[in-house]
Amino acid sequence: DAAVEVRDLRKTYKASGKAPAKEALKGISLAIPRGSLYGLLGPNGAGKSTFINILAGLVNKTSGTARIWGIDIDQAPRSARAAIGVVPQELNLDPFFTPRELLDLQAGLYGVPKAERQTERLLEAVGLKDKANAYARTLSGGMRRRLMVAKAMVHAPPVLVLDEPTAGVDVELRQMLWAHVRDLNKAGTTVVLTTHYLEEAQELCDTIAIVNHGQVVACDATENLLRTL
Ligand code: ADP
Ligand code: ADP
């Protein structure tokens, strides 16, 4: 079984006000292998966030099928959702909570029993052990992003999905975030990320799907794909 498998996934946003209806996904089919570090590369408006938001249960697809870790998102939406951790683009953290509190809260939301919580290990994994008791408002942008990654991992999902993890981030911080993503992948997590930076996909991902205008226009192992560009 694949980590994520979608067949002929389509999404049309309804027209509202003056905005016409928008066909954001026009029949996407992909199989993301277990253990891979998989990049969805494409320009703004290509449909990357829509794809991720459908997997996250945040947007309803119009048609097609999607399975996460073998679980159909229509047949068992909660189980499917439990199999992924999602790091959204926005850093939406309560400023007056500490990393340790935020991770404990998130673990509670996901029903992770106290004895099974990995709060300390997660803080360590994202390099925030020293900041475990600092208010989120005092953390740098990079620390907040890493905290968002830890938050998405509290229920130990086999698949981690990151939406534009380094958009608007400086070079140094980008390298650091890449290192953390690589470590998580080496530790066994399947990682799916979206990006509009070719360099990011090239450096980080073993497989790349290029998305444009709601369609997959190319998909291959990174080295093969780069040869054809
Ligand atoms: P649907 O009802 O088809 O599932 P959503 O509930 O996801 O659509 O979207 C509701 C509304 O949010 C859209 O009709 C649109 O007006 C607005 N909207 C949110 N984000 C965007 C965006 N990036 N571009 C255009 N409209 C947006
Ligand atoms: P990307 O993440 O690749 O930038 P998106 O999935 O955000 O692409 O958007 C794909 C297309 O769908 C864009 O044209 C965008 O404006 C439109 N869109 C995204 N969200 C909504 C929404 N809620 N309502 C209407 N249109 C939307």
Side-chain angles (χ1 to χ4, degrees), residues 11-16 19 59-60:
K11 172 66 184 178
T12 302
Y13 291 103
K14 293 180 203 87
S16 74
V59 164
N60 288 322

Side-chain angles (χ1 to χ4, degrees), residues 60-178:
N60 288 322
K61 62 188 165 58
T62 302
S63 64
T65 60
R67 299 169 77 81
I68 301 169
W69 219 250
I71 306 160
D72 188 290
I73 65 168
D74 291 326
Q75 281 164 20
R78 265 175 79 108
S79 304
R81 178 61 184 82
I84 61 168
V86 182
V87 184
Q89 260 178 65
E90 326 77 60
L91 303 172
N92 51 352
L93 294 164
D94 190 308
F96 289 101
F97 281 86
T98 69
R100 184 172 278 132
E101 288 169 344
L102 285 165
L103 295 186
D104 277 337
L105 275 172
Q106 184 81 357
L109 275 178
Y110 273 87
V112 182
K114 282 223 160 70
E116 286 170 28
R117 292 191 189 169
Q118 302 277 339
T119 308
E120 301 311 314
R121 197 186 54 77
L122 277 172
L123 287 167
E124 174 108 59
V126 298
L128 285 175
K129 239 184 144 63
D130 296 348
K131 296 287 180 182
N133 298 316
Y135 284 148
R137 67 197 293 266
T138 68
L139 302 179
S140 70
M143 290 173 185
R144 288 180 206 196
R145 277 186 193 266
R146 284 181 277 137
L147 178 53
M148 295 286 293
V149 173
K151 216 179 130 193
M153 297 285 291
V154 292
H155 57 298
V159 184
L160 178 68
V161 176
L162 305 119
D163 198 2
E164 305 257 358
T166 65
V169 157
D170 68 39
V171 178
E172 201 179 330
L173 181 51
R174 188 172 301 158
Q175 302 279 358
M176 193 202 286
L177 289 165
W178 287 353

Side-chain angles (χ1 to χ4, degrees), residues 13 22 24 43-50:
Y13 291 103
K22 173 75 199 178
N44 284 327
K48 306 182 297 295
S49 297
T50 299

